[in-house]
Amino acid sequence: MARCDLVIRGGTVFDGSGTPGVRADVGVTDGKVVAVGGELPEGARTVDATGKWVMPGMLDVHTHYDAEVLGNPGLGESVRHGVTSVVLGNCSLSTIYAEAEDCADLFARVEALPWDAVHSAVKEHKDWDGPHAYAKALADRPLGANVAAFLGHSDIRVTVMGLERAVDAAARPTDAELARMGAMLEDALDAGFLGLSTIRSSFSKLEGVRFPTRQLPSTYATWREYRALNAILRRRGRVHQSTPNLTTRAEIARYFAESAGRIRKPLKTTLIAGMDVKADRTVARAATAAAWIVNTVGGAQFRWQHLPVPFEVYADGVDLVVFEEFGSGVAALNIRDVIKRGELLADEDYRRRFRTDLAKKFGPRVWNRDLYDAIIVDCPEADVVGKSFGAVADERGIHPADALLDLTVTHGTALRWRTVIANDREDVLDRLQRSPMMQVGFADSGAHLRNMAFYNFGLRLLERAHKRGFLPLEQAIHRVTGELADWYGLDAGRLTTGARADIAVIDPAGFDGSSSEYAEAPYPGVAGLQRMVNRNDGAVAATVVGGQVVHEYGEFALGFGTTLHAGTFLTAR
């Protein structure tokens, strides 16, 4: 056999199909896997994988890298954790059609991204006029990972209707406008987009000065509008990704009905999120059972997106998306001026409403609102660090809500605290990760910079499977590689002869329990802004994208994200 560009030697190779691994060498030439096993001569470059797992690169199907990829296309926070393909355009948000100001208003608040960063990225880099040109523009960039994309419903709705009408509850698109949205979707599917993303969540609010208290445009659409767009997706065999309105859970039945396929072609549908929510311990079992029924009885193709780790979130003061789920929280977040917000939080009438909202025990919600379960991690008052707001309140003889508000009024965003929203019970987490109704995703990579970091979700799943044994390793690998690639229709997730050479070499010796530890790093392109990240670099011996070794044990290849063209735009099959 001719000398390969790259040989990965001596590892246990998993092909991503769910079958057990085998000891083999892997040969790569011209960006393709040309040999698995056999006697391979030394390559132009050789990676020693002795004692390591050689597997397809992982997929992250729920990211919000849409602005970051334009100016900083390496996407290193994902690549360093063995992720070789990411999906943009989730939750109705994309940058395909909308102009810079609209994009910034759409992304900034709901995804907790700096408005200026989104605006400048789109304004500076947008040189496309539709999905075909967008795909080429991304493929021409020095991508560190492969990129696939959804078309965002809010993106096309604001482009067709204008922002003011798109966020007016009384406005409806004309037949001509709805036809134009359908044509935009068809064009995106022709360009290889995975499908359409929408959102119904009441949490989803606009940023900016024009309509800062309105929700995203997609939430104002009727189900007639959704059905018209879903008909295109169903006919083309593509995917509908969405976030339901958790305050009206009965509406999820509409998604089930749209996905069902006994008397027509099923619609691939994936919703966030399948979680074991602390606020309601019945959710996980009910979600799994409902999905099983609609898939087996209704002939649907429905999946919940599941984060395979505890859903721990951080907040600076009251800057946290879960405050959007109750009235007094929304009132605070609607005020973007720091001084005016502080005045509101100090007002006793407001505080009565806030205490009442926190005390409500019934009704759909994501956060349990238990301030004894919210731990202060940083504050200028050093004596409160490490304590819950409930404990501080007990010491001071006040209500826990007043402890949170007092400290926020005094210190603003210098008060930092954390809580776990969901997925805190190991046995339930094991069960969810074994369920075929759950799809591993919902990392929200690239968003919520100060609130959460799950860039290494795949590694954490593999570490749990390796150490706890709740899932065979080859099946855990399949869940974050081949299973996702097959469901979304992507040329990824397999390590077989002829496949794209997107490979992760995992060193299980690096699974030292540090993967969930808190870390921060500079956010690329915004001076002085730190974002939460993950750091367990000992677990990834190498990440290979397009046949090129782009990362090894925390170090990136020369030219990564600047001159090294490793990734490409992946189109749906």
mmCIF file with all atom_site columns, all heavy atoms in Angstrom, residues 118-134:
data_model
loop_
_atom_site.group_PDB
_atom_site.id
_atom_site.type_symbol
_atom_site.label_atom_id
_atom_site.label_alt_id
_atom_site.label_comp_id
_atom_site.label_asym_id
_atom_site.label_entity_id
_atom_site.label_seq_id
_atom_site.pdbx_PDB_ins_code
_atom_site.Cartn_x
_atom_site.Cartn_y
_atom_site.Cartn_z
_atom_site.occupancy
_atom_site.B_iso_or_equiv
_atom_site.pdbx_formal_charge
_atom_site.auth_seq_id
_atom_site.auth_comp_id
_atom_site.auth_asym_id
_atom_site.auth_atom_id
_atom_site.pdbx_PDB_model_num
ATOM 1   N N   . VAL A 1 118 ? -22.496 40.434 17.949 1.00 0.00 ? 118 VAL A N   1
ATOM 2   C CA  . VAL A 1 118 ? -23.301 39.855 16.869 1.00 0.00 ? 118 VAL A CA  1
ATOM 3   C C   . VAL A 1 118 ? -23.428 40.850 15.722 1.00 0.00 ? 118 VAL A C   1
ATOM 4   O O   . VAL A 1 118 ? -23.244 40.508 14.543 1.00 0.00 ? 118 VAL A O   1
ATOM 5   C CB  . VAL A 1 118 ? -24.688 39.441 17.379 1.00 0.00 ? 118 VAL A CB  1
ATOM 6   C CG1 . VAL A 1 118 ? -25.538 38.896 16.238 1.00 0.00 ? 118 VAL A CG1 1
ATOM 7   C CG2 . VAL A 1 118 ? -24.572 38.414 18.500 1.00 0.00 ? 118 VAL A CG2 1
ATOM 8   N N   . HIS A 1 119 ? -23.729 42.092 16.061 1.00 0.00 ? 119 HIS A N   1
ATOM 9   C CA  . HIS A 1 119 ? -23.933 43.119 15.039 1.00 0.00 ? 119 HIS A CA  1
ATOM 10  C C   . HIS A 1 119 ? -22.676 43.310 14.195 1.00 0.00 ? 119 HIS A C   1
ATOM 11  O O   . HIS A 1 119 ? -22.729 43.312 12.951 1.00 0.00 ? 119 HIS A O   1
ATOM 12  C CB  . HIS A 1 119 ? -24.336 44.439 15.702 1.00 0.00 ? 119 HIS A CB  1
ATOM 13  C CG  . HIS A 1 119 ? -24.620 45.539 14.725 1.00 0.00 ? 119 HIS A CG  1
ATOM 14  N ND1 . HIS A 1 119 ? -23.666 46.458 14.336 1.00 0.00 ? 119 HIS A ND1 1
ATOM 15  C CD2 . HIS A 1 119 ? -25.756 45.866 14.043 1.00 0.00 ? 119 HIS A CD2 1
ATOM 16  C CE1 . HIS A 1 119 ? -24.191 47.302 13.482 1.00 0.00 ? 119 HIS A CE1 1
ATOM 17  N NE2 . HIS A 1 119 ? -25.461 46.967 13.279 1.00 0.00 ? 119 HIS A NE2 1
ATOM 18  N N   . SER A 1 120 ? -21.530 43.452 14.840 1.00 0.00 ? 120 SER A N   1
ATOM 19  C CA  . SER A 1 120 ? -20.293 43.700 14.099 1.00 0.00 ? 120 SER A CA  1
ATOM 20  C C   . SER A 1 120 ? -19.887 42.500 13.261 1.00 0.00 ? 120 SER A C   1
ATOM 21  O O   . SER A 1 120 ? -19.394 42.652 12.133 1.00 0.00 ? 120 SER A O   1
ATOM 22  C CB  . SER A 1 120 ? -19.164 44.106 15.048 1.00 0.00 ? 120 SER A CB  1
ATOM 23  O OG  . SER A 1 120 ? -18.875 43.066 15.965 1.00 0.00 ? 120 SER A OG  1
ATOM 24  N N   . ALA A 1 121 ? -20.103 41.284 13.784 1.00 0.00 ? 121 ALA A N   1
ATOM 25  C CA  . ALA A 1 121 ? -19.735 40.083 13.027 1.00 0.00 ? 121 ALA A CA  1
ATOM 26  C C   . ALA A 1 121 ? -20.523 39.995 11.730 1.00 0.00 ? 121 ALA A C   1
ATOM 27  O O   . ALA A 1 121 ? -19.966 39.724 10.656 1.00 0.00 ? 121 ALA A O   1
ATOM 28  C CB  . ALA A 1 121 ? -19.959 38.840 13.877 1.00 0.00 ? 121 ALA A CB  1
ATOM 29  N N   . VAL A 1 122 ? -21.844 40.222 11.810 1.00 0.00 ? 122 VAL A N   1
ATOM 30  C CA  . VAL A 1 122 ? -22.674 40.122 10.612 1.00 0.00 ? 122 VAL A CA  1
ATOM 31  C C   . VAL A 1 122 ? -22.400 41.293 9.670  1.00 0.00 ? 122 VAL A C   1
ATOM 32  O O   . VAL A 1 122 ? -22.252 41.111 8.453  1.00 0.00 ? 122 VAL A O   1
ATOM 33  C CB  . VAL A 1 122 ? -24.164 40.055 10.991 1.00 0.00 ? 122 VAL A CB  1
ATOM 34  C CG1 . VAL A 1 122 ? -25.041 40.029 9.743  1.00 0.00 ? 122 VAL A CG1 1
ATOM 35  C CG2 . VAL A 1 122 ? -24.435 38.828 11.854 1.00 0.00 ? 122 VAL A CG2 1
ATOM 36  N N   . LYS A 1 123 ? -22.315 42.490 10.221 1.00 0.00 ? 123 LYS A N   1
ATOM 37  C CA  . LYS A 1 123 ? -22.113 43.673 9.383  1.00 0.00 ? 123 LYS A CA  1
ATOM 38  C C   . LYS A 1 123 ? -20.778 43.614 8.651  1.00 0.00 ? 123 LYS A C   1
ATOM 39  O O   . LYS A 1 123 ? -20.674 43.964 7.471  1.00 0.00 ? 123 LYS A O   1
ATOM 40  C CB  . LYS A 1 123 ? -22.185 44.935 10.239 1.00 0.00 ? 123 LYS A CB  1
ATOM 41  C CG  . LYS A 1 123 ? -22.169 46.236 9.436  1.00 0.00 ? 123 LYS A CG  1
ATOM 42  C CD  . LYS A 1 123 ? -22.374 47.436 10.331 1.00 0.00 ? 123 LYS A CD  1
ATOM 43  C CE  . LYS A 1 123 ? -22.388 48.728 9.521  1.00 0.00 ? 123 LYS A CE  1
ATOM 44  N NZ  . LYS A 1 123 ? -23.510 48.763 8.571  1.00 0.00 ? 123 LYS A NZ  1
ATOM 45  N N   . GLU A 1 124 ? -19.744 43.160 9.351  1.00 0.00 ? 124 GLU A N   1
ATOM 46  C CA  . GLU A 1 124 ? -18.407 43.137 8.761  1.00 0.00 ? 124 GLU A CA  1
ATOM 47  C C   . GLU A 1 124 ? -18.229 42.005 7.751  1.00 0.00 ? 124 GLU A C   1
ATOM 48  O O   . GLU A 1 124 ? -17.562 42.179 6.726  1.00 0.00 ? 124 GLU A O   1
ATOM 49  C CB  . GLU A 1 124 ? -17.357 42.999 9.864  1.00 0.00 ? 124 GLU A CB  1
ATOM 50  C CG  . GLU A 1 124 ? -15.917 42.922 9.346  1.00 0.00 ? 124 GLU A CG  1
ATOM 51  C CD  . GLU A 1 124 ? -14.906 42.761 10.456 1.00 0.00 ? 124 GLU A CD  1
ATOM 52  O OE1 . GLU A 1 124 ? -15.284 42.882 11.638 1.00 0.00 ? 124 GLU A OE1 1
ATOM 53  O OE2 . GLU A 1 124 ? -13.721 42.507 10.131 1.00 0.00 ? 124 GLU A OE2 1
ATOM 54  N N   . HIS A 1 125 ? -18.819 40.846 8.033  1.00 0.00 ? 125 HIS A N   1
ATOM 55  C CA  . HIS A 1 125 ? -18.493 39.659 7.247  1.00 0.00 ? 125 HIS A CA  1
ATOM 56  C C   . HIS A 1 125 ? -19.565 39.232 6.252  1.00 0.00 ? 125 HIS A C   1
ATOM 57  O O   . HIS A 1 125 ? -19.276 38.423 5.372  1.00 0.00 ? 125 HIS A O   1
ATOM 58  C CB  . HIS A 1 125 ? -18.202 38.484 8.181  1.00 0.00 ? 125 HIS A CB  1
ATOM 59  C CG  . HIS A 1 125 ? -16.997 38.688 9.042  1.00 0.00 ? 125 HIS A CG  1
ATOM 60  N ND1 . HIS A 1 125 ? -15.710 38.598 8.558  1.00 0.00 ? 125 HIS A ND1 1
ATOM 61  C CD2 . HIS A 1 125 ? -16.887 39.004 10.362 1.00 0.00 ? 125 HIS A CD2 1
ATOM 62  C CE1 . HIS A 1 125 ? -14.850 38.826 9.537  1.00 0.00 ? 125 HIS A CE1 1
ATOM 63  N NE2 . HIS A 1 125 ? -15.534 39.077 10.632 1.00 0.00 ? 125 HIS A NE2 1
ATOM 64  N N   . LYS A 1 126 ? -20.779 39.745 6.380  1.00 0.00 ? 126 LYS A N   1
ATOM 65  C CA  . LYS A 1 126 ? -21.843 39.249 5.500  1.00 0.00 ? 126 LYS A CA  1
ATOM 66  C C   . LYS A 1 126 ? -21.606 39.679 4.061  1.00 0.00 ? 126 LYS A C   1
ATOM 67  O O   . LYS A 1 126 ? -21.686 40.866 3.723  1.00 0.00 ? 126 LYS A O   1
ATOM 68  C CB  . LYS A 1 126 ? -23.213 39.723 5.972  1.00 0.00 ? 126 LYS A CB  1
ATOM 69  C CG  . LYS A 1 126 ? -24.346 39.114 5.152  1.00 0.00 ? 126 LYS A CG  1
ATOM 70  C CD  . LYS A 1 126 ? -25.721 39.415 5.716  1.00 0.00 ? 126 LYS A CD  1
ATOM 71  C CE  . LYS A 1 126 ? -26.795 38.726 4.876  1.00 0.00 ? 126 LYS A CE  1
ATOM 72  N NZ  . LYS A 1 126 ? -28.150 38.971 5.389  1.00 0.00 ? 126 LYS A NZ  1
ATOM 73  N N   . ASP A 1 127 ? -21.315 38.701 3.217  1.00 0.00 ? 127 ASP A N   1
ATOM 74  C CA  . ASP A 1 127 ? -21.128 38.963 1.796  1.00 0.00 ? 127 ASP A CA  1
ATOM 75  C C   . ASP A 1 127 ? -21.937 37.963 0.969  1.00 0.00 ? 127 ASP A C   1
ATOM 76  O O   . ASP A 1 127 ? -21.592 37.657 -0.167 1.00 0.00 ? 127 ASP A O   1
ATOM 77  C CB  . ASP A 1 127 ? -19.647 38.903 1.420  1.00 0.00 ? 127 ASP A CB  1
ATOM 78  C CG  . ASP A 1 127 ? -18.994 37.570 1.762  1.00 0.00 ? 127 ASP A CG  1
ATOM 79  O OD1 . ASP A 1 127 ? -19.699 36.691 2.319  1.00 0.00 ? 127 ASP A OD1 1
ATOM 80  O OD2 . ASP A 1 127 ? -17.794 37.403 1.491  1.00 0.00 ? 127 ASP A OD2 1
ATOM 81  N N   . TRP A 1 128 ? -23.006 37.439 1.556  1.00 0.00 ? 128 TRP A N   1
ATOM 82  C CA  . TRP A 1 128 ? -23.857 36.463 0.870  1.00 0.00 ? 128 TRP A CA  1
ATOM 83  C C   . TRP A 1 128 ? -25.265 37.032 0.734  1.00 0.00 ? 128 TRP A C   1
ATOM 84  O O   . TRP A 1 128 ? -25.664 37.950 1.465  1.00 0.00 ? 128 TRP A O   1
ATOM 85  C CB  . TRP A 1 128 ? -23.890 35.136 1.631  1.00 0.00 ? 128 TRP A CB  1
ATOM 86  C CG  . TRP A 1 128 ? -24.340 35.270 3.062  1.00 0.00 ? 128 TRP A CG  1
ATOM 87  C CD1 . TRP A 1 128 ? -25.624 35.290 3.540  1.00 0.00 ? 128 TRP A CD1 1
ATOM 88  C CD2 . TRP A 1 128 ? -23.501 35.440 4.208  1.00 0.00 ? 128 TRP A CD2 1
ATOM 89  N NE1 . TRP A 1 128 ? -25.634 35.443 4.894  1.00 0.00 ? 128 TRP A NE1 1
ATOM 90  C CE2 . TRP A 1 128 ? -24.342 35.537 5.341  1.00 0.00 ? 128 TRP A CE2 1
ATOM 91  C CE3 . TRP A 1 128 ? -22.117 35.498 4.397  1.00 0.00 ? 128 TRP A CE3 1
ATOM 92  C CZ2 . TRP A 1 128 ? -23.849 35.696 6.637  1.00 0.00 ? 128 TRP A CZ2 1
ATOM 93  C CZ3 . TRP A 1 128 ? -21.623 35.664 5.682  1.00 0.00 ? 128 TRP A CZ3 1
ATOM 94  C CH2 . TRP A 1 128 ? -22.489 35.764 6.790  1.00 0.00 ? 128 TRP A CH2 1
ATOM 95  N N   . ASP A 1 129 ? -26.024 36.483 -0.178 1.00 0.00 ? 129 ASP A N   1
ATOM 96  C CA  . ASP A 1 129 ? -27.385 36.966 -0.418 1.00 0.00 ? 129 ASP A CA  1
ATOM 97  C C   . ASP A 1 129 ? -28.406 35.844 -0.365 1.00 0.00 ? 129 ASP A C   1
ATOM 98  O O   . ASP A 1 129 ? -29.524 35.979 -0.861 1.00 0.00 ? 129 ASP A O   1
ATOM 99  C CB  . ASP A 1 129 ? -27.465 37.680 -1.766 1.00 0.00 ? 129 ASP A CB  1
ATOM 100 C CG  . ASP A 1 129 ? -27.026 36.788 -2.928 1.00 0.00 ? 129 ASP A CG  1
ATOM 101 O OD1 . ASP A 1 129 ? -26.693 35.601 -2.680 1.00 0.00 ? 129 ASP A OD1 1
ATOM 102 O OD2 . ASP A 1 129 ? -27.024 37.267 -4.070 1.00 0.00 ? 129 ASP A OD2 1
ATOM 103 N N   . GLY A 1 130 ? -28.041 34.722 0.232  1.00 0.00 ? 130 GLY A N   1
ATOM 104 C CA  . GLY A 1 130 ? -28.962 33.603 0.348  1.00 0.00 ? 130 GLY A CA  1
ATOM 105 C C   . GLY A 1 130 ? -28.223 32.363 0.799  1.00 0.00 ? 130 GLY A C   1
ATOM 106 O O   . GLY A 1 130 ? -27.009 32.392 1.031  1.00 0.00 ? 130 GLY A O   1
ATOM 107 N N   . PRO A 1 131 ? -28.915 31.261 0.937  1.00 0.00 ? 131 PRO A N   1
ATOM 108 C CA  . PRO A 1 131 ? -28.312 30.065 1.519  1.00 0.00 ? 131 PRO A CA  1
ATOM 109 C C   . PRO A 1 131 ? -27.191 29.442 0.704  1.00 0.00 ? 131 PRO A C   1
ATOM 110 O O   . PRO A 1 131 ? -26.216 28.932 1.265  1.00 0.00 ? 131 PRO A O   1
ATOM 111 C CB  . PRO A 1 131 ? -29.497 29.102 1.658  1.00 0.00 ? 131 PRO A CB  1
ATOM 112 C CG  . PRO A 1 131 ? -30.562 29.637 0.776  1.00 0.00 ? 131 PRO A CG  1
ATOM 113 C CD  . PRO A 1 131 ? -30.359 31.098 0.717  1.00 0.00 ? 131 PRO A CD  1
ATOM 114 N N   . HIS A 1 132 ? -27.266 29.457 -0.629 1.00 0.00 ? 132 HIS A N   1
ATOM 115 C CA  . HIS A 1 132 ? -26.193 28.884 -1.443 1.00 0.00 ? 132 HIS A CA  1
ATOM 116 C C   . HIS A 1 132 ? -24.904 29.666 -1.234 1.00 0.00 ? 132 HIS A C   1
ATOM 117 O O   . HIS A 1 132 ? -23.823 29.069 -1.036 1.00 0.00 ? 132 HIS A O   1
ATOM 118 C CB  . HIS A 1 132 ? -26.581 28.889 -2.926 1.00 0.00 ? 132 HIS A CB  1
ATOM 119 C CG  . HIS A 1 132 ? -27.687 27.944 -3.264 1.00 0.00 ? 132 HIS A CG  1
ATOM 120 N ND1 . HIS A 1 132 ? -27.461 26.661 -3.703 1.00 0.00 ? 132 HIS A ND1 1
ATOM 121 C CD2 . HIS A 1 132 ? -29.035 28.107 -3.237 1.00 0.00 ? 132 HIS A CD2 1
ATOM 122 C CE1 . HIS A 1 132 ? -28.619 26.062 -3.926 1.00 0.00 ? 132 HIS A CE1 1
ATOM 123 N NE2 . HIS A 1 132 ? -29.596 26.922 -3.654 1.00 0.00 ? 132 HIS A NE2 1
ATOM 124 N N   . ALA A 1 133 ? -25.007 30.993 -1.279 1.00 0.00 ? 133 ALA A N   1
ATOM 125 C CA  . ALA A 1 133 ? -23.823 31.833 -1.084 1.00 0.00 ? 133 ALA A CA  1
ATOM 126 C C   . ALA A 1 133 ? -23.316 31.739 0.355  1.00 0.00 ? 133 ALA A C   1
ATOM 127 O O   . ALA A 1 133 ? -22.102 31.816 0.596  1.00 0.00 ? 133 ALA A O   1
ATOM 128 C CB  . ALA A 1 133 ? -24.149 33.286 -1.451 1.00 0.00 ? 133 ALA A CB  1
ATOM 129 N N   . TYR A 1 134 ? -24.240 31.581 1.303  1.00 0.00 ? 134 TYR A N   1
ATOM 130 C CA  . TYR A 1 134 ? -23.827 31.419 2.703  1.00 0.00 ? 134 TYR A CA  1
ATOM 131 C C   . TYR A 1 134 ? -23.015 30.141 2.878  1.00 0.00 ? 134 TYR A C   1
ATOM 132 O O   . TYR A 1 134 ? -21.962 30.144 3.522  1.00 0.00 ? 134 TYR A O   1
ATOM 133 C CB  . TYR A 1 134 ? -25.068 31.377 3.588  1.00 0.00 ? 134 TYR A CB  1
ATOM 134 C CG  . TYR A 1 134 ? -24.807 31.076 5.052  1.00 0.00 ? 134 TYR A CG  1
ATOM 135 C CD1 . TYR A 1 134 ? -24.407 32.078 5.927  1.00 0.00 ? 134 TYR A CD1 1
ATOM 136 C CD2 . TYR A 1 134 ? -24.984 29.789 5.562  1.00 0.00 ? 134 TYR A CD2 1
ATOM 137 C CE1 . TYR A 1 134 ? -24.174 31.813 7.274  1.00 0.00 ? 134 TYR A CE1 1
ATOM 138 C CE2 . TYR A 1 134 ? -24.759 29.510 6.901  1.00 0.00 ? 134 TYR A CE2 1
ATOM 139 C CZ  . TYR A 1 134 ? -24.357 30.524 7.747  1.00 0.00 ? 134 TYR A CZ  1
ATOM 140 O OH  . TYR A 1 134 ? -24.130 30.246 9.090  1.00 0.00 ? 134 TYR A OH  1
#
